[in-house]
Amino acid sequence: MKKKGHPILKDENVILFPGMVENYIENGLKFAEENNFVQAVACLDEANKYKELSDMVQSVYILSLLETGRANDAKKICETLYEKKSPFFEQVIELYLTILLDLKEYKQLNEVLNGLMKDSTYTFQQKKNFKQLKELSIKLLTDTTYSTDEDVQTNFDTELFELCNFKTLPYGRQEQLLQEAFQTDIKDITKEIITIIESSDIIPTIKSLALLLLGAAGVNNEVTVEKFGFKETVIPTAPPEHTAVDRVEPIKRYIENSLEKDPTKLQMTLEMVHRHAYTLFPFDWVGYTNEIVANRYIEYVDVLFGNSELQSDEFFKLLIVLEESLEVLSCE
């Protein structure tokens, strides 16, 4: 009887026996599951030479590459999944944004976030998350050298930044103007931006963004910020040593440890902490340790789920005011 033939693939001088690539993939996934990322990458690197990996396998490949310090290679895969609108991309989008942050590729980060927020395939909640990530990423611009590249916009309507005009604009347009100003020389409108921050007619999140803009531009003028019962005169390039934004990561770790078995509450709690930290900037949850802040937010989310009653104390009063200030944006 004639033996059934199996095609033998060739790649230059390498003969690929039947099942060889599949074995690389299977072993790569197994090693990744065992947190042996060095071996996982070695296997997936080999498989990737000979065939296009499935989106699911590529998502594991990204994580393994990151764990082995190959952020640029992970970024390339993320870009591929983004361009082809892979159904698995939603699972790696936050990784993609984190990679861009780590690589300090802020221009590309903002382009990606702008595209995500305009994409109709994403839900309102997802777009809200993208917006929060964008707001928090701006904080990192304060640690970079102010750019005056040739492609930076130098001409814009300065009259829009005059308080009488600015405060009449929809909040979304106010935010857009300030975001665009990060790529612009703002020395001619520094006084106008300071006036915006010091005005009682401007909502807290816009004040936060405007203050970060001044810091990124290297402005050393004193600015008096007032919101949520706090008032302080600060220098944009040297904000207070401890702000709510600076404390997000340690607070996040406490929350993750407490809610690791309840992903729904975990996500909701973390989103709230991120929103409030940005809205509070340059202020802080004064007088409360990271652990206490984490526990109080967990308690508040329990209230929202109907599992407990709201306590009437100063922390929860601040938390409620923060939420109310953000509802203005969501209702616009």
Side-chain angles (χ1 to χ4, degrees):
M1 182 180 294
K2 188 177 181 180
K3 293 183 179 179
K4 189 179 291 186
H6 293 284
I8 297 180
L9 302 178
K10 292 185 178 182
D11 181 78
E12 296 181 353
N13 297 323
V14 180
I15 297 177
L16 305 181
F17 293 99
M20 177 177 171
V21 177
E22 286 70 21
N23 284 338
Y24 277 133
I25 294 173
E26 183 179 344
N27 289 333
L29 296 177
K30 180 182 177 182
F31 283 128
E33 188 175 350
E34 296 171 350
N35 295 326
N36 188 344
F37 297 108
V38 173
Q39 289 298 323
V41 165
C43 291
L44 295 176
D45 277 345
E46 287 299 313
N48 194 44
K49 290 179 183 177
Y50 308 117
K51 68 175 290 186
E52 181 178 352
L53 303 179
S54 71
D55 292 356
M56 184 278 290
V57 173
Q58 288 196 79
S59 67
V60 176
Y61 197 10
I62 291 169
L63 285 167
S64 301
L65 288 167
L66 288 175
E67 290 290 341
T68 53
R70 289 170 56 183
N72 280 304
D73 291 331
K75 175 194 164 193
K76 290 176 184 177
I77 300 175
C78 286
E79 289 171 341
T80 300
L81 294 177
Y82 177 56
E83 289 171 4
K84 68 186 286 191
K85 293 190 179 296
S86 162
F88 275 87
F89 184 71
E90 290 187 22
Q91 299 179 19
V92 296
I93 181 60
E94 191 168 347
L95 281 174
Y96 185 25
L97 299 175
T98 301
I99 291 169
L100 293 175
L101 281 171
D102 289 343
L103 295 176
K104 294 181 169 44
E105 298 185 8
Y106 302 123
K107 185 175 180 181
Q108 184 176 351
L109 172 66
N110 284 329
E111 289 174 357
V112 171
L113 284 165
N114 287 335
L116 291 170
M117 288 188 285
K118 293 176 183 176
D119 194 328
S120 60
T121 60
Y122 293 100
T123 66
F124 172 79
Q125 184 58 50
Q126 287 171 315
K127 290 181 180 180
K128 191 174 180 181
N129 293 342
F130 297 149
K131 182 177 180 180
Q132 291 163 15
L133 285 170
K134 182 171 182 176
E135 290 169 345
L136 288 173
S137 73
I138 293 170
K139 174 69 168 65
L140 297 181
L141 289 172
T142 60
D143 300 324
T144 65
T145 302
Y146 186 60
S147 173
T148 54
D149 294 339
E150 292 180 0
D151 61 345
V152 170
Q153 178 183 353
T154 56
N155 296 312
F156 55 93
D157 190 351
T158 58
E159 291 185 359
L160 289 176
F161 288 89
E162 294 177 4
L163 182 61
C164 59
N165 297 322
F166 189 86
K167 67 182 183 180
T168 64
L169 299 173
Y171 301 130
R173 178 58 177 148
Q174 291 179 2
E175 180 185 44
Q176 182 184 12
L177 282 173
L178 293 171
Q179 295 281 13
E180 292 171 352
F182 272 91
Q183 305 301 320
T184 307
D185 185 349
I186 65 167
K187 65 181 179 181
D188 292 334
I189 56 169
T190 297
K191 290 182 180 179
E192 285 78 2
I193 295 174
I194 291 175
T195 301
I196 286 170
I197 296 170
E198 295 183 338
S199 172
S200 60
D201 294 326
I202 302 300
I203 63 172
T205 52
I206 296 299
K207 289 187 178 186
S208 295
L209 182 57
L211 184 61
L212 289 169
L213 170 61
L214 293 181
V219 175
N220 292 314
N221 305 57
E222 290 187 342
V223 184
T224 300
V225 188
E226 184 173 7
K227 51 185 175 180
F228 307 117
F230 302 112
K231 183 177 181 179
E232 187 171 348
T233 298
V234 302
I235 296 176
T237 54
E241 186 176 348
H242 300 290
T243 71
V245 171
D246 297 318
R247 296 174 61 189
V248 166
E249 282 305 311
I251 290 170
K252 176 183 175 183
R253 289 193 288 272
Y254 278 113
I255 294 172
E256 288 174 335
N257 289 335
S258 298
L259 297 177
E260 60 180 346
K261 295 182 180 179
D262 195 335
T264 302
K265 286 185 181 178
L266 173 60
Q267 181 180 1
M268 188 173 178
T269 308
L270 292 179
E271 287 175 0
M272 187 176 294
V273 169
H274 281 139
R275 291 197 307 268
H276 290 185
Y278 176 78
T279 306
L280 266 173
F281 184 81
F283 301 116
D284 187 16
W285 297 283
V286 180
Y288 300 94
T289 65
N290 293 334
E291 185 173 9
I292 290 175
V293 171
N295 287 331
R296 301 315 293 277
Y297 272 92
I298 292 171
E299 290 172 23
Y300 184 72
V301 171
D302 277 338
V303 172
L304 298 181
F305 276 84
N307 297 332
S308 60
E309 294 184 0
L310 184 64
Q311 299 180 33
S312 180
D313 60 27
E314 291 303 313
F315 187 91
F316 281 122
K317 287 178 182 177
L318 172 61
L319 196 155
I320 291 169
V321 172
L322 283 163
E323 274 295 278
E324 289 175 346
S325 75
L326 288 162
E327 286 176 5
V328 174
L329 285 173
S330 61
C331 294
E332 185 182 51

